[in-house]
Coordinates of all heavy atoms in Angstrom, one line a residue:
Chain W
T20 N 169.1 142.4 103.5 CA 168.1 142.4 102.5 C 167.3 141.1 102.4 O 166.3 141.0 101.7 CB 168.6 142.8 101.2 OG1 169.7 142.0 100.8 CG2 169.0 144.2 101.1
G21 N 167.8 140.0 103.1 CA 167.0 138.8 103.1 C 165.7 138.9 103.8 O 165.5 139.8 104.6
R22 N 164.8 138.0 103.5 CA 163.4 138.0 104.0 C 163.4 138.1 105.6 O 162.8 139.0 106.2 CB 162.6 136.8 103.5 CG 161.2 136.8 103.7 CD 160.6 135.6 103.0 NE 161.3 134.4 103.3 CZ 160.9 133.5 104.3 NH1 159.9 133.8 105.0 NH2 161.6 132.5 104.5
E23 N 164.1 137.1 106.2 CA 164.1 137.0 107.6 C 164.8 138.2 108.3 O 164.3 138.8 109.2 CB 164.9 135.7 108.0 CG 164.7 135.2 109.4 CD 163.3 134.6 109.6 OE1 162.6 134.2 108.6 OE2 162.8 134.5 110.7
A24 N 165.9 138.6 107.7 CA 166.7 139.7 108.3 C 165.9 141.0 108.2 O 166.0 141.8 109.1 CB 168.0 139.8 107.5
A25 N 165.2 141.2 107.1 CA 164.4 142.5 107.0 C 163.3 142.5 108.0 O 163.0 143.6 108.6 CB 163.8 142.6 105.6
M26 N 162.7 141.3 108.3 CA 161.7 141.3 109.3 C 162.2 141.6 110.7 O 161.7 142.3 111.5 CB 161.0 139.9 109.3 CG 159.8 139.8 110.3 SD 158.9 138.2 110.1 CE 159.9 137.2 111.2
V27 N 163.4 141.0 110.9 CA 164.1 141.2 112.2 C 164.5 142.7 112.4 O 164.3 143.3 113.5 CB 165.3 140.3 112.3 CG1 166.3 140.8 113.4 CG2 164.9 138.9 112.5
A28 N 164.9 143.3 111.3 CA 165.3 144.7 111.4 C 164.1 145.5 111.8 O 164.1 146.4 112.6 CB 165.8 145.2 110.0
Q29 N 162.9 145.2 111.1 CA 161.7 146.0 111.5 C 161.3 145.8 112.9 O 161.0 146.8 113.6 CB 160.5 145.5 110.6 CG 159.2 146.1 110.8 CD 159.3 147.6 110.4 OE1 159.4 147.9 109.2 NE2 159.2 148.5 111.4
H30 N 161.3 144.5 113.4 CA 161.0 144.3 114.8 C 161.9 145.0 115.8 O 161.5 145.5 116.8 CB 161.0 142.8 115.1 CG 159.8 142.0 114.4 ND1 159.8 140.7 114.3 CD2 158.7 142.5 113.8 CE1 158.7 140.3 113.6 NE2 158.0 141.4 113.4
S31 N 163.2 145.0 115.4 CA 164.2 145.7 116.3 C 163.9 147.2 116.4 O 164.0 147.8 117.5 CB 165.6 145.4 115.7 OG 165.9 144.1 115.6
L32 N 163.7 147.8 115.2 CA 163.3 149.2 115.2 C 162.1 149.5 116.0 O 162.1 150.4 116.8 CB 163.1 149.7 113.7 CG 164.4 149.6 112.8 CD1 164.0 150.0 111.4 CD2 165.5 150.6 113.3
D33 N 161.1 148.6 115.9 CA 159.8 148.8 116.6 C 160.1 148.8 118.1 O 159.4 149.5 118.9 CB 158.8 147.7 116.2 CG 158.3 147.8 114.8 OD1 158.6 148.9 114.2 OD2 157.7 146.8 114.3
Y34 N 161.0 147.9 118.5 CA 161.3 147.8 119.9 C 162.1 149.0 120.5 O 162.1 149.3 121.7 CB 162.1 146.5 120.1 CG 162.5 146.2 121.6 CD1 161.5 146.1 122.6 CD2 163.8 146.0 121.9 CE1 161.9 145.8 123.9 CE2 164.2 145.6 123.2 CZ 163.2 145.5 124.2 OH 163.6 145.2 125.5

Side-chain angles (χ1 to χ4, degrees):
Chain W
T20 52
R22 192 171 49 93
E23 197 72 20
M26 183 174 88
V27 163
Q29 180 66 65
H30 291 163
S31 302
L32 294 174
D33 293 346
Y34 181 57

